[in-house]
Amino acid sequence: MSIKITDKVSWVGKVDWELKKFHGEELSTHKGSTYNSYLIQDEKTVLIDTVWTPYRDEFIARLQKYVDLDKIDYIVANHGEPDHSGSLPALMKLIPNTPIYCTANGVKSLRGQYHQDWDFQVVKTGTKLDIGSQELMFIEAPMLHWPDTMFTYAMGDGILFSNDAFGQHYATESLYNDKADPAELQYECLKYYANILTPFNRQVDRKIKEFVALNLPVNLICPSHGVIWRDNPLQIVQQYSRWADSYQENQVTILYDSMWDSTKKMAQAIARGITAADQDIIVKIYNVGQRDKNDIITEVFRSRAILVGSSTINRGILSAVAGILEEIKGLSFSGKKAAAFGSYGWSGESVKIITQELRDGGFDIINEGLRCLWTPDQENEQRCFQFGQEMVATLEGWQKA
Ligand code: FEO
């Protein structure tokens, strides 16, 4: 399938409705994904990115129906990850002398993965490529989200080919943002940012400011996953600016795992305390052993504060809690508060361990946490309730952005 998006630009990618996991088993993709590849047929013919390796044969077969491969003058590789470069080895066997435009780091990543000495043309921010009726301008975008990433901007059409930035793992047949289910689209954009781009907030902010300062018209934003931003395309750029700035909603998220429901009872009593203190705060409770970790990360991203609980086991914490804390630490959240809780029967180290993990993850630790010996009785449930209330008291007044 190809879809014409302007007179000269076509989408020639792959919609993957069946994708459930991405980056190996690391990232859940409940709504599938797309691998967006674009073909520009001007005086010169340019292919921007390819699709993931499992779909290379169908991609190349479809491309051949649409264009004589020998007529492709240039390939642009905005980013080397295999979901965009995976078809290159097979394609380059057919058109081995076609120059590939990419960053210096792009050469490293493509050479490192495919061990081929293709005709790499290294570009920097501001490098232009004349393709006939217009020029393509390249804009390096390191750490959005790999060091090799760049954007390509079609100067005549005002199209920003942004690769992963502004994308979503969201399968769609209609391709444009104004044709997508708005709630699904919003959630998948948020999940994508929270799980992939959060560690690079500063680079996102800097790149957006740099791009805005160029004062270039933007008619379409064409990312490498999900929808093309056609209706008010800059809305996703503005959204990224907000997300990059220690984003919060008026939400507190309680994460826990529990061996015999004692820590679960603590979580529920804490939630009651939060709600009693402030009914406007959205409180969500997740058993991290049962729920998808990337959905949980998305909720952490939205939160002003998180409370993390675990039973003590073997002088440590439950493995599901350890796993989510490792994820949370790696994402380098900023401007969020946190505290720990947990029940124990014997040694009771869990709260101390969780508190340290949260501190290492950059959270503002509210207090040294709440421990409960054995199953919480009425008195201990009241302590949990107060713990929730006291946590609310540490939050500053909420101003909706
Ligand atoms: Fe869509 Fe970073 O690859």
Side-chain angles (χ1 to χ4, degrees):
M1 180 177 68
S2 68
I3 301 174
K4 250 186 166 357
I5 57 178
T6 70
D7 280 353
K8 291 178 176 156
V9 181
S10 300
W11 176 93
V12 290
K14 166 71 184 175
V15 180
D16 187 351
W17 286 94
E18 295 187 348
L19 187 76
K20 289 181 183 165
K21 291 286 176 105
F22 192 79
H23 285 155
E25 294 296 309
E26 194 61 18
L27 181 68
S28 63
T29 52
H30 306 314
K31 300 288 178 188
S33 193
T34 73
Y35 317 105
N36 297 339
S37 168
Y38 300 95
L39 186 69
I40 306 177
Q41 291 169 294
D42 208 302
E43 285 172 30
K44 299 289 185 184
T45 299
V46 186
L47 181 69
I48 298 183
D49 295 322
T50 69
V51 307
W52 189 27
T53 324
Y55 301 110
R56 70 183 170 204
D57 294 342
E58 62 171 281
F59 168 70
I60 291 171
R62 277 186 285 110
L63 202 56
Q64 279 172 320
K65 285 186 193 160
Y66 208 59
V67 65
D68 177 354
L69 296 184
D70 289 325
K71 293 254 161 50
I72 296 177
D73 296 289
Y74 313 123
I75 293 172
V76 172
N78 278 327
H79 170 39
E81 232 180 334
D83 50 326
H84 310 298
S85 68
S87 300
L88 272 181
L91 184 62
M92 293 305 283
K93 276 191 183 154
L94 302 173
I95 46 172
N97 299 317
T98 311
I100 298 176
Y101 287 75
C102 60
T103 62
N105 278 328
V107 177
K108 285 186 196 168
S109 93
L110 293 172
R111 272 211 183 111
Q113 293 175 96
Y114 304 117
H115 311 289
Q116 298 293 318
D117 208 12
W118 295 320
D119 177 10
F120 293 112
Q121 298 292 315
V122 174
V123 302
K124 294 183 170 177
T125 295
T127 305
K128 290 177 184 165
L129 179 63
D130 190 346
I131 61 168
S133 71
Q134 62 182 323
E135 290 178 312
L136 300 181
M137 183 171 77
F138 303 107
I139 301 166
E140 293 170 276
M143 306 320 296
L144 270 73
H145 67 121
W146 267 20
D148 66 357
T149 303
M150 69 173 185
F151 301 160
T152 299
Y153 177 74
M155 301 196 71
D157 288 331
I159 302 176
L160 182 68
F161 299 96
S162 60
N163 199 264
D164 285 329
F166 313 124
Q168 335 83 46
H169 287 303
Y170 184 55
T172 170
E173 293 295 314
S174 47
L175 202 58
Y176 294 104
N177 68 310
D178 48 294
K179 298 289 182 192
D181 178 318
E184 286 185 352
L185 178 58
Q186 169 71 10
Y187 182 77
E188 294 304 329
C189 287
L190 185 74
K191 179 178 176 182
Y192 188 96
Y193 191 99
N195 283 275
I196 296 174
L197 287 159
T198 299
F200 312 117
N201 279 340
R202 268 186 301 165
Q203 289 92 335
V204 170
D205 183 57
R206 201 180 309 139
K207 185 52 56 181
I208 287 175
K209 286 181 175 143
E210 188 187 309
F211 184 73
V212 169
L214 293 173
N215 208 19
L216 299 168
V218 177
N219 298 319
L220 292 172
I221 295 178
C222 294
S224 56
H225 299 290
V227 300
I228 291 171
W229 297 92
R230 172 173 73 175
D231 175 44
N232 183 14
L234 290 176
Q235 66 178 286
I236 188 63
V237 179
Q238 290 151 3
Q239 190 66 266
Y240 265 45
S241 286
R242 287 192 285 273
W243 288 339
D245 186 19
S246 301
Y247 180 73
Q248 296 181 359
E249 296 175 20
N250 194 14
Q251 175 171 322
V252 173
T253 304
I254 301 174
L255 310 177
Y256 77 94
D257 198 2
S258 190
M259 291 172 71
W260 295 108
D261 283 353
S262 298
T263 300
K264 176 179 173 180
K265 286 188 174 116
M266 292 181 75
Q268 290 168 343
I270 292 167
R272 288 195 295 274
I274 296 169
T275 306
D278 186 339
Q279 293 196 346
D280 289 333
I281 294 178
I282 295 167
V283 183
K284 295 183 182 173
I285 308 176
Y286 293 98
N287 179 326
V288 296
Q290 295 179 354
R291 300 297 292 267
D292 180 276
K293 70 183 168 80
N294 303 111
D295 291 336
I296 291 171
I297 292 294
T298 308
E299 298 302 334
V300 171
F301 180 75
R302 302 168 88 168
S303 297
R304 302 171 73 184
I306 63 169
L307 301 171
V308 182
S310 173
S311 325
T312 294
I313 182 169
N314 299 333
R315 298 189 172 179
I317 58 178
L318 293 169
S319 60
V321 178
I324 201 74
L325 285 170
E326 183 66 17
E327 292 269 337
I328 288 170
K329 248 191 335 187
L331 288 166
S332 306
F333 289 106
S334 61
K336 297 185 190 297
K337 298 190 181 228
F341 64 95
S343 93
Y344 65 104
W346 308 108
S347 55
E349 289 90 343
S350 70
V351 168
K352 201 168 173 186
I353 292 168
I354 293 169
T355 301
Q356 188 57 45
E357 290 287 293
L358 291 168
R359 190 173 278 123
D360 292 347
F363 286 81
D364 176 10
I365 302 300
I366 294 167
N367 54 42
E368 290 312 304
L370 180 65
R371 299 196 316 159
C372 175
L373 182 61
W374 299 109
T375 302
D377 56 11
Q378 204 172 2
E379 184 187 331
N380 272 319
E381 286 211 17
Q382 184 58 28
R383 284 176 63 224
C384 294
F385 185 88
Q386 282 172 357
F387 183 76
Q389 288 188 309
E390 286 161 16
M391 191 281 296
V392 173
T394 70
L395 300 177
E396 287 155 19
W398 176 249
Q399 298 258 315
K400 194 172 188 321

